[in-house]
Amino acid sequence: MTTRAKLTLYSALATALTTLCLTPLVKQNTWYLAAFVQIVAVAAVGAGLRRLALSRALVVPLQLLAVLYLLMFLTVAPSMTAGVLPGPQAIDALGTLVADGVSTIRHYTIPAPASDGLRLILIGSVTLIAVLVDALAVTLRRAAAAGLPLLALYSVGTGLNSAGRSWLWFLVAAAGYLLLLFAEGQDRLSRWGRVFRGTGRGGDGTGTLSHNGHQVGLLALVCALILPVFVPHGDLGLIGNGSGAGAGTGTAGRITSLNPVVALTANLNRPDNVEMFSYTTDASNASQMYLRINALDSFDGVEWKYSDQPLQPLQAPLPVPEGLGRGVPTTPVRTDFTISDSLSTDTLPMPYPADTVTVPGRWRYEADARTVVADNGQQSNGLKYRVDSLDVEPSPAQLRTAGPAPADFARRYLTLPQSLPPVVAETARSVTAGKSNAYDRAVALQTWFNSPEFHYSLRVAPATGNDAIVRFLQDKTGFCVHFAATMAAMARSLGIPARVAIGFAPGSSQGNGRYVVHSQDYHAWPELYFAGSGWLRFEPTPSRGNAPSYSQEQAAPAPSATADRPSAAPSASASAAPSASSACSAQQRRAGDCADRNEPVVRAAEPTPWWLGWQALVSLAVLLLVLALLATPMLWRARQRRRRLGAGRHLPGGPSTELTDQQVLAAWEELIDTAWDLGIPPDETRTPRRAVQRIAESGRLDESATAAAGRVALATEQVLYAPATRPQPALGADVRAASAGLRAAAGRRGRARAVLLPPSSARLRWRFQDRAAAGREALHRLVSRLTGPVRARLTRRRR
């Protein structure tokens, strides 16, 4: 195979292996076969164009045209003229698919459904990468630079995928890239000519340098995988998810992959109001039970965001909610959740405050936000779990007499950026003028935001920084993010600890305590802290959700506003529908005595272990194959040693103390290969006696080992040079004695290398090359014999 053919083959292989990192992004990976066809087409077209000796400037454009046609034929063939010719309809169909793919990317989380548009974008992107890699590595002969497009493809795949096994994709992608570098390195080395002497078969030294290059590449790959485990590093997102969440029981950093405000905005603007999850609850006021995902507790003037808090092992029950005293009445609530495939998040939707969470898989707990966070890349889609929570019901009188917040709360939850415009605090003081306590000020803020002055609109940019808050106070138009962020900032300016919660409104009631939550139920609201009651929800967004009963002057359970969506506020008929709570008490539910009544029972199913997935099985097969390939030189060398030394002990016909010429040469080869494995390469220009002298000096052999090696050399010279040979005495013991002396002087590292990566295993590769050359020669003779008469006839006709 020519060097250019090798580079073409390895370029396609490197692209195909790197493309595997995109497979976790999509639910169905049927697109990968089409992408592989495109990669093969890029390699074939490039090889054909280069055979035509075209200018380099023409190869890449022609490649792009050819693979673009093939891509259109694979995706929009029905729209092509006569099914084969691209025309305006085909281009329009292609544009429609691209728009559909972009919509899928915007509206779905990972893993996304494999829509036709998304398949087109994936296949097209991989095709472009394949063209760039082929152009750099083969056309321009710059294989090292071809790593840049491969790195871009790998970074996209592992950056978007939060599953915790990106080391596997790194291993596969790096292996493909190293093969490409080795192919180019052999080509460059072969152009140096016969400069180096020693261990190469032809005396040019390329065999040793290539072997050393393979060792360096393998060592670099192993170090890239192992060193990050022991060396402190910043999270670049290339290997691992950077979460720091391990399998132990200690703490770890928060796992976040998507800005929650972006996710909320994208789902509120979705044209299709898809179901996110459903739940069944025994709460008496389920229409007021908001479901939190997390809380944004840090405001830097640019945005509200998560602060980096430690994670703890999930325990049952969870610690007592922060700030909740014994004097505030609470009601236990049990809720069973079923998450659909449309919701993929690393934090569980739950009512606040949760008391016990029963969930399959590996999850951790954050105490400050009181959330349950995935460990090791697990996602919520398709999950079933149970949450026991508390419905906190403080009275306005208790909230009015609440004491000051602890000092640590003041430092954390009252902090405002110095760049916050003064108008925010001034407006807060104006709205709450005359209010003497924190509770009345909070209610005044909520009432002010719910006044007719403010309007709900999704057309406002989803920003939460200083400028966005000032603009919102001026225009008085926005959606839940603006109301929640502004009220939280104003509450902090009044000395009330506040944060912004992200989650879902209660959803639409289906009767019997069952609710369904859709994408347009995504919601944001402020949470304010009151000593004795803890964190409490407020609802400043007009026409969305329900204001809690404790935030109204008349502590009635009725909602303060009617939602403009069925999922935001249940209708009167829905609230009047008979529920399981009227026939079965909460205590009976918790005891499990109501399972046969109208309430559906949701049982949490154990997810399929990751090691049973097809990716893990394929990875295991690849790993076993790699280990087998790595072990082949060691096993072959051990077999050779047994065969050669066995010949020194026994003849084929039975026990003997004499050796034939062949067996003497086998013993000599074993001595030379042992020295080679231990760092003394062979020199075929020396006689056996001179070779042993060199081995004894380089290997620092003692007198007995040198004498043993000398006897092997003497027997070999008699076989090679004596006019008449005679049977030789057994040499197995001499070879072992000399080998033991060489191993003793080589040191531990040299002995390990001789066993695991014996350089003499190059003879195995030479043997395969010789057999392949012999096979090609035999095939050539066969073809010549079969076509000889035809060629002879044609020659006679020409004459």
Side-chain angles (χ1 to χ4, degrees):
M1 184 183 294
T2 64
T3 300
R4 180 170 287 178
K6 286 183 180 179
L7 289 174
T8 303
L9 175 62
Y10 289 142
S11 297
L13 179 62
T15 306
L17 292 177
T18 307
T19 303
L20 288 172
C21 71
L22 299 179
T23 53
L25 306 184
V26 185
K27 292 180 181 178
Q28 301 86 18
N29 289 310
T30 54
W31 64 272
Y32 184 79
L33 179 60
F36 183 76
V37 170
Q38 287 289 108
I39 294 172
V40 173
V42 169
V45 171
L49 292 174
R50 285 184 287 267
R51 288 290 296 270
L52 297 177
L54 295 176
S55 171
R56 291 181 177 180
L58 294 177
V59 173
V60 176
L62 292 177
Q63 269 183 302
L64 287 173
L65 287 177
V67 295
L68 177 60
Y69 172 80
L70 179 59
L71 181 62
M72 295 180 67
F73 185 79
L74 292 176
T75 54
V76 294
S79 301
M80 300 174 70
T81 305
V84 293
L85 298 177
Q89 291 184 347
I91 295 176
D92 291 343
L94 205 65
T96 301
L97 282 180
V98 171
D100 174 68
V102 172
S103 177
T104 301
I105 294 173
R106 290 180 57 188
H107 294 152
Y108 288 93
T109 55
I110 296 170
S115 65
D116 292 339
L118 184 57
R119 292 178 70 252
L120 173 63
I121 292 177
L122 289 172
I123 297 171
S125 301
V126 171
T127 302
L128 180 60
I129 295 296
V131 171
L132 291 175
V133 172
D134 185 82
L136 291 170
V138 189
T139 304
L140 301 178
R141 294 296 181 96
R142 295 291 184 268
L148 293 176
L150 291 176
L151 178 62
L153 182 63
Y154 169 79
S155 300
V156 170
T158 56
L160 294 177
N161 176 31
S162 59
R165 295 187 298 279
S166 55
W167 63 268
L168 174 61
W169 309 125
F170 171 78
L171 180 64
V172 173
Y177 182 52
L178 285 178
L179 287 174
L180 179 60
L181 290 181
F182 290 154
E184 188 200 35
Q186 289 179 344
D187 173 52
R188 291 181 181 273
L189 189 61
S190 65
R191 301 180 187 181
W192 291 355
R194 298 168 61 88
V195 177
F196 298 95
R197 298 288 190 268
T199 60
R201 291 185 70 194
D204 60 358
T206 59
T208 299
L209 291 178
S210 176
H211 179 74
N212 292 339
H214 284 71
Q215 290 182 340
V216 170
L218 180 61
L219 179 62
L221 185 58
V222 172
C223 290
L225 287 172
I226 296 178
L227 288 181
V229 178
F230 303 100
V231 179
H233 64 286
D235 181 15
L236 299 179
L238 298 180
I239 302 180
N241 56 13
S243 64
T249 60
T251 60
R254 176 186 296 281
I255 306 173
T256 57
S257 58
L258 183 64
N259 188 317
V261 176
V262 174
L264 182 148
T265 307
N267 280 276
L268 289 178
N269 285 280
R270 288 182 65 155
D272 52 340
N273 190 22
V274 300
E275 179 180 335
M276 307 301 282
F277 61 90
S278 62
Y279 64 92
T280 304
T281 182
D282 59 8
S284 58
N285 58 343
S287 62
Q288 292 193 6
M289 189 173 70
Y290 281 34
L291 306 165
R292 298 164 76 256
I293 292 180
N294 219 314
L296 312 181
D297 53 5
S298 175
F299 182 46
D300 58 5
V302 179
E303 62 177 349
W304 284 87
K305 58 185 179 181
Y306 300 130
S307 62
D308 190 12
Q309 299 299 321
L311 298 178
Q312 305 172 5
L314 182 61
Q315 53 184 294
L318 298 177
V320 177
E322 198 165 25
L324 181 60
R326 295 182 178 179
V328 175
T330 59
T331 302
V333 175
R334 170 162 291 184
T335 308
D336 290 310
F337 289 86
T338 301
I339 308 297
S340 73
D341 290 336
S342 300
L343 178 60
S344 182
T345 177
D346 54 11
T347 308
L348 296 181
M350 300 187 307
Y352 183 87
D355 181 55
T356 302
V357 181
T358 306
V359 57
R362 302 175 61 178
W363 298 81
R364 290 180 179 265
Y365 164 71
E366 183 187 309
D368 290 338
R370 206 170 184 84
T371 55
V372 175
V373 184
D375 187 14
N376 200 23
Q378 182 166 323
Q379 296 291 300
S380 64
N381 46 311
L383 194 66
K384 294 182 179 180
Y385 58 96
R386 170 171 289 178
V387 178
D388 292 314
S389 59
L390 299 175
D391 183 11
V392 182
E393 303 168 346
S395 65
Q398 288 175 317
L399 296 177
R400 286 190 178 96
T401 57
D408 57 336
F409 268 62
R411 287 191 300 268
R412 179 175 175 186
Y413 296 104
L414 292 178
T415 300
L416 288 171
Q418 295 181 354
S419 60
L420 184 69
V423 66
V424 178
E426 294 171 358
T427 305
R429 289 192 295 269
S430 174
V431 171
T432 60
K435 306 300 181 181
S436 58
N437 57 77
Y439 167 74
D440 287 333
R441 296 189 185 101
V443 173
L445 288 176
Q446 176 180 271
T447 304
W448 180 63
F449 282 115
N450 277 279
S451 66
E453 298 181 52
F454 287 88
H455 305 280
Y456 184 90
S457 174
L458 292 173
R459 297 184 179 182
V460 183
T464 60
N466 291 339
D467 296 339
I469 291 177
V470 172
R471 187 164 51 251
F472 173 70
L473 291 175
Q474 293 174 349
D475 301 339
K476 293 183 172 54
T477 301
F479 59 100
C480 57
V481 166
H482 304 96
F483 286 91
T486 305
M487 180 171 173
M490 296 173 71
R492 286 192 176 188
S493 71
L494 296 173
I496 307 173
R499 62 190 183 187
V500 177
I502 299 290
F504 298 89
S508 55
S509 174
Q510 309 298 304
N512 294 329
R514 183 174 183 271
Y515 285 76
V516 176
V517 178
H518 294 81
S519 57
Q520 292 183 3
D521 290 315
Y522 253 109
H523 196 41
W525 61 92
E527 289 182 342
L528 277 58
Y529 179 86
F530 293 89
S533 300
W535 289 100
L536 298 177
R537 173 183 69 87
F538 284 78
E539 183 54 275
T541 308
S543 72
R544 291 284 295 177
N546 305 291
S549 58
Y550 52 75
S551 67
Q552 304 175 49
E553 291 297 334
Q554 312 257 337
S560 62
T562 302
D564 57 352
R565 290 184 177 86
S567 59
S571 63
S573 60
S575 61
S579 65
S581 61
S582 62
C584 186
S585 66
Q587 290 76 10
Q588 289 175 317
R589 290 176 187 274
R590 297 174 68 90
D593 297 335
C594 303
D596 57 343
R597 304 193 184 185
N598 293 331
E599 178 184 8
V601 177
V602 180
R603 299 185 182 275
E606 288 290 336
T608 303
W610 68 267
W611 45 269
L612 291 180
W614 70 267
Q615 298 97 332
L617 296 179
V618 171
S619 305
L620 178 62
V622 171
L623 180 61
L624 293 177
L625 178 61
V626 171
L627 291 177
L629 292 176
L630 293 176
T632 298
M634 177 177 63
L635 298 177
W636 177 85
R637 184 69 183 87
R639 179 177 175 274
Q640 286 290 93
R641 184 180 300 107
R642 287 194 302 270
R643 183 181 64 80
R644 290 166 175 171
L645 296 181
R649 293 194 302 268
H650 302 285
L651 289 173
S656 175
T657 59
E658 296 181 345
L659 301 180
T660 63
D661 294 349
Q662 250 184 349
Q663 293 165 339
V664 170
L665 295 179
W668 173 250
E669 285 184 351
E670 176 58 29
L671 178 60
I672 293 299
D673 284 355
T674 300
W676 189 2
D677 293 340
L678 293 169
I680 307 174
D683 187 352
E684 297 177 357
T685 63
R686 296 175 182 263
T687 64
R689 194 173 305 181
R690 293 294 183 186
V692 163
Q693 182 180 0
R694 172 173 169 266
I695 290 174
E697 293 174 354
S698 301
R700 301 187 299 278
L701 295 181
D702 57 20
E703 185 176 349
S704 61
T706 302
R711 288 191 290 272
V712 177
L714 181 61
T716 304
E717 285 185 344
Q718 290 180 359
V719 170
L720 293 176
Y721 308 132
T725 60
R726 59 182 175 81
Q728 300 291 334
L731 299 174
D734 289 334
V735 173
R736 292 189 185 88
S739 299
L742 290 172
R743 282 193 291 271
R748 184 179 301 174
R749 181 178 178 184
R751 292 193 295 270
R753 177 192 166 198
V755 173
L756 299 176
L757 296 172
S760 63
S761 61
R763 298 186 188 275
L764 178 63
R765 184 174 73 251
W766 297 345
R767 181 178 300 178
F768 284 139
Q769 291 174 350
D770 292 340
R771 290 180 179 178
R776 288 194 297 270
E777 182 64 25
L779 180 61
H780 179 70
R781 289 196 301 268
L782 177 62
V783 172
S784 299
R785 188 165 57 249
L786 294 176
T787 60
V790 177
R791 289 201 304 269
R793 260 192 242 97
L794 292 176
T795 303
R796 286 195 298 270
R797 287 180 182 177
R798 291 194 194 99
R799 292 176 180 173

